[in-house]
Amino acid sequence: MPLRRLFAITSILFFVVLAISPLKNALRPYRSIQREYARLGAARAKSQKVAEAYQARPVSIQQIWLPGLQNRVDRCMTCHLGAQDETMAGAPGVYRLHSRSFHTPKDFDRFGCTSCHGGQGLATLEEDAHGMAENAGTPMTPLPFIESGCGRCHLGEQVNGAAILTRGRMLMEKAGCFACHLVKGHEGFRSEAPPLESVALKTGGEALKRWLKDPKGLDGNASMPNFRLSDQDIEALTHFIFNTAPSKALADKVREAGAEKAGDAINGKKIFAEARCISCHTVEGKGNGSAPELSKVASRATQPWMLAYLRDPHAFNPRTRMPQFGFSAADTRDVVAYMVAEFKDFDAPPGMLDPVHVNQTLAEKGQKLFRLLGCTACHAASGEPDRIGPELNRIGDKRAASLDFGKRKDLKHTLPTWLQAKLEDPRSLGTGLKMPVYGLSPTDTQAVVTALLAYGAEPVPAQYQPVPAVRASLVPGGTVGALFDRYRCLSCHQIGDKGGDISTAPLTAEGSKVKKDWVIDYLVMSYTIRPILTDRMPVFRMTKAEATILAEAFETFYLDPSIPEDPFAGQPATSRDPIEGRHIFDTLGCKACHILGEKGGYFGPPLNEAGRRLKPGWTYTWLKGPQKWRADVRCPNYGLTDADALKLTSFLQTQVQKPAALKTAKGGGR
Amino acid sequence: MRPSMLPRLAWGLVLVLGAASGCSRHKEAPAPAAGTPVTPPAEAAVAPAPLEPPLSYELRLGKQVFQHYCLTCHGETGAGDGFNAFNVEPHPRDLGDPAFQKAKVDADLKDTVRRGGVGVGLSSGMPPWGKTLTPDQIDQVVGYLRTLKRTDAPPAS
């Protein structure tokens, strides 16, 4: 009977359909993984009891629920059971123990897994959880970029223990990414590229064309990227730039400088070395490298311009990091004479610095091109920069499916690969793209991609953001502010959370650290404090009056309330025993890093003048824990008692020898 | 027969639907764009290979600690030839020496790092790092020291 047969078939079908679901659950990969984990754990267990506990483990889904952290539910532990289990050290594959890091194992329950690694926390199938398929919605972060996870909460420039991320953030600042791309926290970024109007005064047509063709090829320190311009475009831009009229004040300065007699190159060489120009610039690669290479500069900049610029750099480029030196008129003539004689490209054809006879049609074409290419983002004379790039605030969570891979068929469709390709060869992803080529090394590309991946779509709740370790920056206005600006202290030194990274001495607590008389002497005639450092304080030719104003500002503004003015106050007289202190100095082995007398290592500053330079309160606080001052300081914390630290301080205060550089009253040699 | 079939059918349907929704609890399953073939996960494609560092994560952390604190005296390769070494008496230990590496177990090395030369009856040139580095960092740096062991005979100096 057909109805009966139909019924029989449907019944069997229903049974099969009903069986699918429990069967599917029973065959889920995590079940076999958990059983294998129990077997491995039992085999590795040190006692019978522990082994039995492993075997008695129920097979079930494990999860960490974090309602406070973007309501995450991470079930990664369902398979990665060994991640928190010390027994599983060295276990294979999925069973292994998580590497120890700053937050593991202690913070598993605070952060879960996906807040650092990405991926889909709720999923329990490997492919879904890891987002391994192309265009997956929430893929895991590949390990080379894993430090981007740190950057989601640690928003500061420097992230201790995340060197790749820190480097990436530094590179983004240095390359000027924020000039074209809006990023939260960097809205105020202004490139220090020279305003356009002074370029025609500085250089010549041929030199400018060579520069536009390949800036980094001419100067390895250049921050301007390569725009891959065609010869016609370069021609048009050159005509436009030479058609831009400089202000009368600047033009007059250069004209007047051009009428002066030539200086004495031999004296200029001495001044160049003494002023320590290579603390920022390089000469044939030697030097800090945060400012232009100078070995061929005279073939790029005219003599009158160099002379006028050295006398008043801030008039030509208000945003430059270059300080104003207090050279006399004759001194600047001598320095420029030296640079013109020595620092030129001897292979360059004559006429490199000849100006361009402007063709108006080409100049107009160049003007359009200048705006179209986004040059104004960095070279704007004033006002808001013209940001032509897309904002990058949520780039780290952008879905791969929404990215345009264009012509590149060789790339896997994931965000990190796209970002890498975009940084390595931006134009290869499509036609008409404007982003220039930065010529980053593979490790630098990795660092920048890491920094970019840290810009998440959702901000991390405030309680997950670490409290910044440094105080906010305070730079006073008025006379003191003007001096800070004139000598560009913040180009090298840090104050609070602002400033450059050339100097190793932040000024945040300078007033509590050094003695006033020493600072005045040092500012007037700076010398080498730490012999191993190549980037040393320039000799600014500051007047004693200016130095005194700055020293008084340090004593007023830059104090740390935790550093006592007199650490011996209220202490027994024995704490002032310098002979005991000398004994402690010898026992601790301070001489391994510090020179005292003639002997000792030269990693730390020599201590022969410690008593002239350092205040006792600061020396004492330093000795009680150098890392409080800066986390990565290499002077070890000896765990000294108060009494011992005081005795050592009192010994160091007796060391008041004047350094040789001051006795001869000359600046440091090159 | 027929009257009992309908409730069974309905019951079955309910179960099937319930099971199906239970199966797809993991929301936000990766949705490949239309027309994009889902490639099977290939081991090599997950991470760009050339950037993958050869050292493990812990060893990389150890290397960072070594390069920051130890390199100044012990040198890049641990041979005791750091730039601060020449003026230091006695000379810093050659950490790559296979005999030295063999003679010391990890606990000895950690103890020396923690308590310094004075702590283990040697020169005061080696400072105690126990209050500067965390126990984890000391474990990591000792782990990295082991990678500095030279396999060949030390060069005659």
Side-chain angles (χ1 to χ4, degrees):
Chain A
M1 195 176 167
L3 196 66
R4 279 197 168 200
R5 189 171 294 166
L6 195 70
F7 177 69
I9 292 167
T10 42
S11 298
I12 291 166
L13 265 176
F14 271 128
F15 181 76
V16 169
V17 167
L18 284 180
I20 285 174
S21 175
L23 207 67
K24 210 173 149 192
N25 194 31
L27 294 176
R28 289 224 143 197
Y30 80 81
R31 293 181 165 268
S32 56
I33 290 174
Q34 290 201 356
R35 281 192 292 269
E36 174 64 14
Y37 166 76
R39 198 190 60 75
L40 266 177
R44 287 163 162 262
K46 297 232 164 59
S47 73
Q48 185 67 27
K49 217 174 132 194
V50 178
E52 276 163 13
Y54 272 106
Q55 278 155 351
R57 278 186 58 90
V59 172
S60 66
I61 285 186
Q62 309 285 318
Q63 68 176 27
I64 300 173
W65 179 31
L66 299 167
L69 184 56
Q70 296 152 340
N71 202 18
R72 280 168 197 277
V73 181
D74 285 352
R75 294 182 171 167
C76 314
M77 258 54 153
T78 305
C79 293
H80 296 277
L81 282 163
Q84 292 187 80
D85 185 351
E86 289 285 345
T87 322
M88 288 298 173
V94 64
Y95 310 105
R96 68 175 177 268
L97 177 70
H98 193 286
S99 325
R100 264 193 295 169
S101 71
F102 291 85
H103 288 304
T104 50
K106 65 179 180 357
D107 288 332
F108 272 111
D109 296 335
R110 240 176 104 205
F111 300 117
C113 308
T114 55
S115 50
C116 299
H117 286 278
Q120 191 182 319
L122 273 167
T124 51
L125 284 175
E126 187 186 6
E127 194 180 330
D128 298 345
H130 293 189
M132 287 143 94
E134 287 215 342
N135 293 323
T138 47
M140 277 182 72
T141 310
L143 284 181
F145 312 110
I146 192 66
E147 287 179 11
S148 63
C150 315
R152 297 266 168 138
C153 297
H154 297 267
L155 305 176
E157 277 304 285
Q158 302 236 335
V159 182
N160 199 11
I164 299 173
L165 174 71
T166 304
R167 176 153 184 83
R169 287 186 169 163
M170 186 275 285
L171 283 167
M172 284 188 72
E173 178 97 30
K174 200 175 153 217
C177 304
F178 311 124
C180 287
H181 299 279
L182 187 70
V183 173
K184 210 173 152 217
H186 297 276
E187 295 88 346
F189 177 87
R190 295 288 178 277
S191 166
E192 60 166 330
L196 202 61
E197 52 165 20
S198 61
V199 174
L201 288 172
K202 171 184 179 177
T203 190
E206 187 53 35
L208 180 61
K209 282 177 204 167
R210 287 186 175 204
W211 173 262
L212 290 173
K213 187 91 195 157
D214 184 8
K216 280 200 168 68
L218 283 188
D219 176 355
N221 303 341
S223 45
M224 178 159 157
N226 187 343
F227 283 81
R228 301 251 170 107
L229 299 166
S230 69
D231 288 343
Q232 291 95 321
D233 287 353
I234 289 176
E235 190 71 30
L237 283 170
T238 308
H239 281 264
F240 164 61
I241 290 166
F242 274 87
N243 195 35
T244 313
S247 77
K248 191 175 175 308
L250 293 184
D252 285 350
K253 271 178 197 278
V254 175
R255 205 184 52 245
E256 282 161 24
E260 286 181 31
K261 63 175 173 32
D264 170 12
I266 294 165
N267 188 39
K269 181 175 185 174
K270 225 177 74 196
I271 299 169
F272 184 87
E274 186 187 284
R276 297 224 46 96
C277 304
I278 62 162
S279 284
C280 299
H281 292 275
T282 50
V283 175
E284 281 167 3
K286 193 166 171 273
N288 178 278
S290 59
E293 161 73 39
L294 295 177
S295 58
K296 288 174 184 168
V297 72
S299 299
R300 293 218 305 271
T302 62
Q303 181 185 16
W305 181 87
M306 282 202 278
L307 195 49
Y309 184 83
L310 195 54
R311 284 176 185 162
D312 192 358
H314 305 159
F316 286 86
N317 183 0
R319 296 191 296 263
T320 183
R321 280 180 291 164
M322 169 129 168
Q324 163 98 58
F325 284 81
F327 296 130
S328 70
D331 283 345
T332 41
R333 267 202 300 275
D334 293 352
V335 172
V336 171
Y338 165 65
M339 291 171 74
V340 168
E342 291 280 329
F343 296 163
K344 62 178 171 195
D345 185 356
F346 291 98
D347 301 328
M352 287 274 285
L353 295 174
D354 292 347
V356 174
H357 296 289
V358 175
N359 171 330
Q360 280 303 328
T361 328
L362 277 176
E364 274 168 35
K365 193 183 158 212
Q367 183 168 17
K368 283 198 195 103
L369 210 55
F370 190 80
R371 286 200 27 219
L372 196 75
L373 292 169
C375 308
T376 39
C378 290
H379 291 281
S382 58
E384 278 293 300
D386 183 13
R387 292 201 171 92
I388 65 160
E391 82 165 62
L392 296 177
N393 280 326
R394 279 170 287 277
I395 186 81
D397 282 335
K398 209 167 162 83
R399 283 164 182 252
S402 67
L403 298 169
D404 185 5
F405 284 81
K407 295 184 286 188
R408 295 289 293 267
K409 302 291 177 219
D410 57 319
L411 298 175
K412 189 172 147 58
H413 282 219
T414 68
L415 177 62
T417 351
W418 186 82
L419 289 172
Q420 239 174 311
K422 189 81 187 167
L423 284 165
E424 277 160 5
D425 191 0
R427 314 271 172 96
S428 71
L429 291 164
T431 42
L433 295 175
K434 288 176 185 168
M435 181 158 148
V437 181
Y438 284 84
L440 298 171
S441 70
T443 33
D444 283 353
T445 309
Q446 177 193 8
V448 175
V449 172
T450 304
L452 286 169
L453 289 173
Y455 295 126
E458 258 186 272
V460 184
Q463 74 265 28
Y464 281 96
Q465 289 176 22
V467 185
V470 283
R471 287 186 289 164
S473 192
L474 166 88
V475 180
T479 324
V480 178
L483 282 175
F484 265 89
D485 193 43
R486 179 182 168 88
Y487 295 110
R488 293 288 202 263
C489 307
L490 284 166
S491 292
C492 299
H493 292 277
Q494 293 186 341
I495 294 179
D497 55 357
K498 285 200 182 65
D501 60 356
I502 296 176
S503 168
T504 54
L507 300 177
T508 318
E510 192 71 358
S512 297
K513 177 182 175 185
V514 293
K515 294 186 172 170
K516 189 177 153 191
D517 291 343
W518 177 86
V519 175
I520 296 172
D521 285 354
Y522 183 75
L523 286 172
V524 171
M525 178 56 79
S526 53
Y527 57 90
T528 300
I529 297 180
R530 297 165 63 114
I532 57 155
L533 297 181
T534 48
D535 311 328
R536 298 179 204 155
M537 175 104 153
V539 179
F540 291 111
R541 308 283 183 101
M542 206 182 274
T543 64
K544 190 154 187 176
E546 286 175 330
T548 311
I549 293 172
L550 283 176
E552 273 164 6
F554 292 154
E555 299 262 316
T556 316
F557 300 113
Y558 300 127
L559 299 171
D560 190 323
S562 67
I563 299 173
E565 191 66 28
D566 177 15
F568 300 105
Q571 298 290 332
T574 49
S575 69
R576 293 167 194 263
D577 187 352
I579 297 159
E580 276 280 305
R582 166 90 221 196
H583 182 67
I584 295 169
F585 185 90
D586 292 337
T587 332
L588 294 182
C590 305
K591 68 170 188 327
C593 290
H594 296 280
I595 291 173
L596 190 76
E598 301 289 308
K599 285 212 151 284
Y602 64 127
F603 188 73
L607 296 173
N608 292 327
E609 55 149 357
R612 266 186 77 242
R613 185 163 79 93
L614 301 170
K615 288 189 172 175
W618 190 84
T619 311
Y620 165 75
T621 318
W622 174 276
L623 289 170
K624 285 291 288 173
Q627 281 70 30
K628 263 185 282 178
W629 182 247
R630 223 182 53 220
D632 63 345
V633 119
R634 287 161 178 98
C635 183
N637 181 355
Y638 285 90
L640 293 176
T641 62
D642 286 355
D644 282 357
L646 283 170
K647 283 171 191 159
L648 193 45
T649 303
S650 105
F651 165 64
L652 291 173
Q653 285 296 311
T654 61
Q655 302 300 307
V656 290
Q657 194 184 320
K658 259 197 169 190
L662 278 191
K663 284 182 198 151
T664 53
K666 279 197 175 156
R670 180 164 152 198
Chain B
M1 283 279 165
R2 204 164 280 190
S4 70
M5 198 174 139
L6 260 176
R8 230 178 118 182
L9 221 163
W11 188 73
L13 250 175
V14 165
L15 260 186
V16 167
L17 284 177
S21 68
C23 286
S24 55
R25 174 122 343 126
H26 46 102
K27 63 165 195 195
E28 228 192 78
T36 326
V38 177
T39 50
E43 210 41 47
V46 173
L51 292 178
E52 191 73 306
L55 292 175
S56 77
Y57 182 74
E58 270 115 337
L59 287 179
R60 270 195 296 149
L61 289 180
K63 186 179 179 181
Q64 278 171 26
V65 173
F66 182 85
Q67 295 200 326
H68 191 77
Y69 294 99
C70 316
L71 177 144
T72 46
C73 292
H74 289 286
E76 181 85 44
T77 59
D81 56 355
F83 59 79
N84 192 41
F86 84 94
N87 213 12
V88 176
E89 199 55 50
H91 218 64
R93 166 85 71 185
D94 174 1
L95 301 170
D97 180 6
F100 165 75
Q101 290 255 357
K102 201 174 165 216
K104 304 283 180 187
V105 296
D106 281 1
D108 295 339
L109 294 175
K110 283 175 197 171
D111 195 41
T112 312
V113 175
R114 203 175 297 122
R115 298 197 290 145
V118 173
V120 296
L122 294 167
S123 128
S124 64
M126 168 80 183
W129 295 102
K131 293 190 170 66
T132 308
L133 303 176
T134 63
D136 277 357
Q137 282 178 308
I138 294 177
D139 291 357
Q140 286 153 6
V141 81
V142 168
Y144 179 69
L145 288 188
R146 293 301 187 189
T147 68
L148 296 175
K149 181 180 166 185
R150 281 191 304 272
T151 42
D152 53 345
S157 54

